[in-house]
Amino acid sequence: MEQKKRVIALGFFDGVHNGHGALMRRTAQVAQELGAIPSAFTFDPHPQTVILGRPTPLLTSPEDRADLMRKYYGIQDVIVEPFTPQRMKQPWREFLAETLVGDLGAVHLVAGHDYHFGYKGEGNPQRLQQACQEMGIGCDIIPKVEQEGITVSSTYIRTLVAQGEIERANQFLGHPYTLSDRVAHGKKLGSTLGFPTVNLLIPQGVIVPAFGVYATRVWFDGQCRCAVTNVGVRPTVEDNDGHVTVEGFILDFDGDLYGHEIRMEFYKYLRPEQCFPSMDALAAEIRRNAQQTRDYFRQLT
C-alpha cells in the first residue's frame, strides 16, 4: 500500500501561539500544493522534563495542543510521540531519515528559527535544510515572530497567564487561553448559591492561572455559554481542603454537566480571589461578576 505523503510542522507547540501559527499556516499551504496531509509532530512530555529531570510547566495539555492546531490552523494529523531517554540519545540524522521521512512519509518539513533536535540538540535549522536538500524533500525555516517588539514565545505567555494578564496572553496566543477536561463532581456550592457550576481539574503539568475570577466561555455538547470562573482555593468555603479548583458559574443555564467533556476559554481577569464574610456576600459578588461578564461579551461582539 502506498504510504501517505505528509507535510510536517516540527516543534513542541506549547500554547499553539502566533509564532507556531506561522509554521502551521505554511504547513497547510504547502500540503495543499503537494496534495499531502498537513501534519504536526510533537512530543510528550516536554523534552526539557526528561533532559533536566524536573517538570516543565506548560500552557496546554497534549490533547489541547492537538485540538487547537486542528481548530485554528487546519492541521489534520497531530503526531504525539513519547519523549524517552532513547529518543533523547537518537542522532538527528537518524530521526530525520527513519522517523520523519521513513515512518511518516514526510515530503516537506517546516520548522522554526530556533528548532533543535536529536542527540544534544545537534540538529539545527541549517543542518535540517541541508539534509532535506540532499534527500530531495522540501524544507522551510520560519523566522521569529514579534509583536510589540517582543518575540512571541511560550515562556513569555506562561508568565502572563501566571500573573493573570489573560487579555494580553490571548493577544500573543492568537486565541483564548483554553482548558479542557471532563467535568468532575464538586462540593455543590454553586447549587446552594443559585448558580449551576462546572468543576474542572488542572491537567497534570499545566500551569495554574493566577488565582482570581475570570470572564470565560464554556463549550459543551455543541453549545457555548458565558461563565464566571473562579480559579483558586475558595477561601470563603469552610470545608476548603486547600486544593486548587477551576469552578465555572454558568450564566443562563440550568442542567447537570457532570461527566461531559467541556472546553473553557478565558477572556478577562475580573478580580483577585478573596474571602467574603458570608455566603450571602459571596453570592452578591458573583451576581456582580456575572453582570461584568455579560457586559464584557456584549461589548466584544
Side-chain angles (χ1 to χ4, degrees), residues 55-286:
T56 299
L58 301 176
L59 290 163
T60 43
S61 66
E63 295 78 13
D64 279 343
R65 268 187 282 154
D67 287 344
L68 291 166
M69 285 188 250
R70 295 187 183 105
K71 178 181 179 182
Y72 291 107
Y73 298 105
I75 299 298
Q76 294 177 16
D77 196 359
V78 181
I79 302 123
V80 183
E81 280 209 3
F83 190 81
T84 62
Q86 292 74 26
R87 180 68 83 183
M88 178 177 68
K89 296 173 183 175
Q90 185 179 32
W92 69 270
R93 282 187 178 273
E94 183 180 296
F95 172 68
L96 171 60
E98 295 185 7
T99 300
L100 297 178
V101 178
D103 296 340
L104 298 177
V107 294
H108 193 105
L109 298 172
V110 183
H113 67 101
D114 56 354
Y115 182 67
H116 285 76
F117 63 106
Y119 182 57
K120 294 185 177 179
E122 290 174 348
N124 60 33
Q126 294 72 31
R127 286 176 169 173
L128 177 64
Q129 268 193 319
Q130 180 63 36
C132 285
Q133 187 175 4
E134 293 168 2
M135 297 172 72
I137 66 173
C139 180
D140 282 304
I141 303 300
I142 306 300
K144 68 180 179 180
V145 174
E146 292 187 342
Q147 289 179 215
E148 302 174 20
I150 298 170
T151 300
V152 180
S153 72
S154 301
T155 301
Y156 178 63
I157 298 169
R158 287 174 200 144
T159 301
L160 295 175
V161 171
Q163 293 174 347
E165 296 182 52
I166 210 71
E167 288 180 289
R168 185 168 176 81
N170 290 349
Q171 291 172 5
F172 282 79
L173 285 168
H175 55 79
Y177 174 69
T178 301
L179 290 175
S180 298
D181 195 16
R182 188 177 294 274
V183 177
H185 275 306
K187 303 281 189 178
K188 308 300 183 185
L189 173 63
S191 300
T192 64
L193 295 175
F195 301 95
T197 65
V198 290
N199 293 274
L200 303 185
L201 301 176
I202 302 282
Q204 186 174 7
V206 173
I207 65 171
V208 177
F211 285 6
V213 176
Y214 295 82
T216 62
R217 278 181 173 151
V218 176
W219 294 81
F220 57 92
D221 302 339
Q223 299 184 54
C224 175
R225 299 280 180 167
C226 299
V228 175
T229 296
N230 186 83
V231 177
V233 294
R234 304 186 309 165
T236 307
V237 182
E238 290 183 4
D239 64 349
N240 173 18
D241 54 12
H243 288 153
V244 175
T245 62
V246 178
E247 188 170 24
F249 296 81
I250 304 174
L251 308 185
D252 308 316
F253 175 76
D254 185 18
D256 184 2
L257 293 177
Y258 172 70
H260 289 237
E261 291 285 345
I262 74 164
R263 183 175 80 247
M264 181 176 285
E265 297 176 342
F266 288 69
Y267 283 83
K268 184 176 178 62
Y269 184 81
L270 298 177
R271 63 170 174 85
E273 186 176 48
Q274 60 192 98
C275 183
F276 291 90
S278 67
M279 297 302 283
D280 287 343
L282 173 59
E285 180 62 15
I286 292 171

